[in-house]
């Protein structure tokens, strides 16, 4: 991490939500960015890498492109890998995993290429190689260009460090954040989730309202790399104290176990003082006192949880309650089934992009303010 030259930084995003992540990145002062399928890139330095991991709610990973060269055969790959300045980025005492992909190149055998790169690192730096290591080097060989990238995040960024308990089909925090942004949420209004599960939407919204940094409570792979400055990182991590907010964030679920999970997760996240989780069915849902805001819900889809035919009644009941009780609120419903969404009879705006999630394609269905 000693290089001072700007390099390419890649932010992974769910395919279909690259533009939404680009908006967040611009808002946080990163860029200018270039969008690619599955993410976006910009030029920056190691401070940008660390801040992106710490601050961006929608990014799935932060990759640092640390170098590249041409190689047309394995002997050339071996020679140039040995000349690469691994010590600028890697520590000899930290295990490393190496993943290789080959595409449209004279070097076409990823396994053989991986062995050459691993041997070069092992024999020039001395770092132990371990296929299960948290620190990961990615080598992409495409059109005979070898590009090395380090996964500076380690565990995926949706693992904020507080959610020990999850439900049957949890919404990833990164995805929840991007969907909230697509609904126009900026932390200045309350959130109600009628089927909150482990509490992802209310907790994420509460963190945004308080200005809490999503990466504040977890470890990142860059902390195990060469040149890591622990004191500078601690200063960055603690630079923005939490704000205060008069708002409250509400989650409801008919499953008492889910409510207990959500309550415990909110406490670990440090937002239990502004979140409330209650065990009740959809039929009992009423808007809380105070300002109007956003109803955000990730109901069962039928593909994995529940029976689709029975779910039409559930979605219909949800739509009835929202249309009659939540005038002045906006609604966001995430589902893999457009037919179920239409069963709510809510006035949805033109549809958004479909996003891969747990083997399904899910879509955010949004309304304007209900009248």
């Amino acid at each position: 991490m000693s290089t001072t030259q700007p390099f390419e930084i890649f932010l992974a995003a769910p395919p279909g939500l690259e533009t939404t992540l680009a908006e967040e990145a611009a808002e946080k002062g990163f860029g200018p960015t270039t969008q690619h399928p599955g993410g976006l890139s910009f030029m920056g330095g190691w401070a940008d890498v660390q801040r992106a991991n710490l601050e961006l709610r929608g990014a799935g990973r932060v990759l640092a492109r640390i170098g590249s060269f041409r190689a047309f055969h394995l002997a050339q790959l071996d020679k140039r890998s040995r000349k690469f300045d691994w010590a600028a980025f890697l520590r000899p005492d930290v295990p490393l995993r190496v993943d290789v992909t080959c595409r449209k190149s004279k070097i076409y055998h990823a396994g053989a290429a991986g062995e050459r790169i691993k041997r070069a690192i092992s024999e020039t730096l001395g770092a132990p190689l371990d296929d299960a290591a948290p620190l990961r080097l990615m080598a992409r060989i495409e059109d005979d260009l070898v590009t090395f990238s380090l996964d500076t995040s380690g565990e995926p960024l949706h693992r904020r460090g507080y959610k020990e308990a999850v439900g049957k089909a949890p919404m990833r925090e990164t995805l929840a954040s991007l969907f909230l942004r697509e609904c126009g949420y900026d932390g200045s209004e309350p959130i109600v989730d009628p089927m909150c599960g482990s509490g992802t939407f209310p907790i994420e919204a509460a963190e945004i309202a308080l200005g809490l940094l999503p990466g504040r409570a977890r470890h990142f792979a860059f902390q195990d790399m060469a040149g890591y400055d622990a004191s500078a990182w601690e200063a960055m991590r603690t630079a923005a104290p939490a704000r205060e907010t008069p708002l409250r964030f509400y989650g409801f679920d008919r499953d008492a176990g889910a409510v207990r999970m959500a309550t415990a997760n909110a406490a670990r996240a440090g937002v239990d003082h502004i979140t409330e989780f209650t065990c009740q069915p959809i039929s009992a849902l009423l808007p809380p006192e105070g300002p109007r805001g956003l109803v955000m819900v990730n109901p069962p889809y039928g593909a994995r949880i529940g029976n689709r035919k029975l779910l039409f009644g559930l979605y219909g009941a949800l739509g009835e309650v929202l249309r009659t009780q939540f005038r002045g609120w906006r609604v966001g419903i995430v589902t893999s089934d457009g037919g179920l969404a239409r069963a709510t009879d809510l006035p949805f705006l033109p549809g958004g992009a479909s996003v891969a999630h747990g083997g399904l394609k899910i879509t955010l269905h949004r309304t304007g303010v209900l009248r």
Side-chain angles (χ1 to χ4, degrees), residues 74 77 99-102 107-117 139 141:
L74 289 172
L77 174 65
D99 293 340
V100 180
T101 58
C102 300
I107 298 173
Y108 59 85
H109 194 295
E115 287 303 316
R116 298 299 178 104
I117 295 168
I141 307 176

Side-chain angles (χ1 to χ4, degrees), residues 111-142:
E115 287 303 316
R116 298 299 178 104
I117 295 168
K118 289 177 185 178
R119 197 181 310 145
I121 294 171
S122 178
E123 294 180 3
T124 60
L125 181 69
L129 282 303
D130 183 348
D131 289 342
L135 183 59
R136 180 168 59 133
L137 172 76
M138 286 164 288
R140 186 181 74 236
I141 307 176
E142 185 166 0

Side-chain angles (χ1 to χ4, degrees), residues 71-125:
F72 299 95
H73 49 78
L74 289 172
Q76 196 172 42
L77 174 65
D78 182 89
K79 182 178 180 180
R80 293 186 174 176
S81 294
R82 289 175 183 276
K83 289 184 176 180
F84 195 83
D85 187 8
W86 298 111
F89 309 100
L90 303 174
R91 286 169 37 183
D93 60 326
V94 176
L96 179 71
R97 178 165 119 233
V98 178
D99 293 340
V100 180
T101 58
C102 300
R103 185 170 178 268
K104 296 181 180 177
S105 296
K106 292 182 174 62
I107 298 173
Y108 59 85
H109 194 295
E115 287 303 316
R116 298 299 178 104
I117 295 168
K118 289 177 185 178
R119 197 181 310 145
I121 294 171
S122 178
E123 294 180 3
T124 60
L125 181 69

Side-chain angles (χ1 to χ4, degrees), residues 168-363:
K168 294 177 183 176
M171 171 68 62
R172 290 183 173 184
E173 285 75 4
T174 46
L175 197 51
S177 170
L178 293 170
F179 283 148
L180 285 168
R181 177 174 285 275
E182 291 214 315
C183 286
Y185 181 76
D186 62 2
S188 63
E189 59 188 336
I191 293 281
V192 168
D193 185 345
M195 304 179 195
C196 68
S198 53
T200 303
F201 278 126
I203 292 172
E204 197 71 12
E207 287 195 6
I208 293 169
L210 291 171
L212 296 176
L213 301 176
R216 67 194 181 281
R218 55 159 285 172
H219 182 86
F220 297 98
F222 66 74
Q223 292 174 263
D224 298 319
M225 292 167 54
Y228 165 66
D229 185 333
S231 59
W233 166 246
E234 186 62 17
M236 181 184 291
R237 193 180 68 81
T238 57
R243 300 189 293 259
E244 292 186 3
T245 179
L247 300 172
R248 293 296 179 267
F249 304 87
Y250 304 89
F252 303 92
D253 205 291
R254 65 180 183 180
D255 183 341
V259 170
R260 286 193 296 270
M261 281 194 294
T263 302
N265 288 334
R268 279 188 289 268
V271 298
D272 48 323
H273 61 298
I274 58 169
T275 53
E276 294 180 24
F277 296 97
T278 305
C279 185
Q280 72 175 35
I282 290 294
S283 57
L285 184 66
L286 291 171
E289 293 184 6
R292 295 162 179 168
L294 175 67
V295 177
M296 199 74 191
V297 58
N298 176 37
Y301 310 150
R304 287 179 295 177
I305 301 173
N307 182 292
R308 185 174 186 269
K309 292 181 181 178
L310 297 177
L311 290 177
F312 276 98
L314 175 67
Y315 278 69
L318 174 64
E320 175 70 18
V321 169
L322 295 179
R323 291 194 313 274
T324 58
Q325 302 293 340
F326 281 78
R327 291 189 179 94
W329 290 68
R330 304 186 321 284
V331 177
I333 295 179
V334 179
T335 181
S336 65
D337 192 319
L340 290 173
R342 288 188 291 275
T344 64
D345 202 25
L346 288 166
F348 291 119
L349 300 170
S354 292
V355 180
H357 175 61
L360 299 172
K361 288 283 192 177
I362 60 175
T363 302

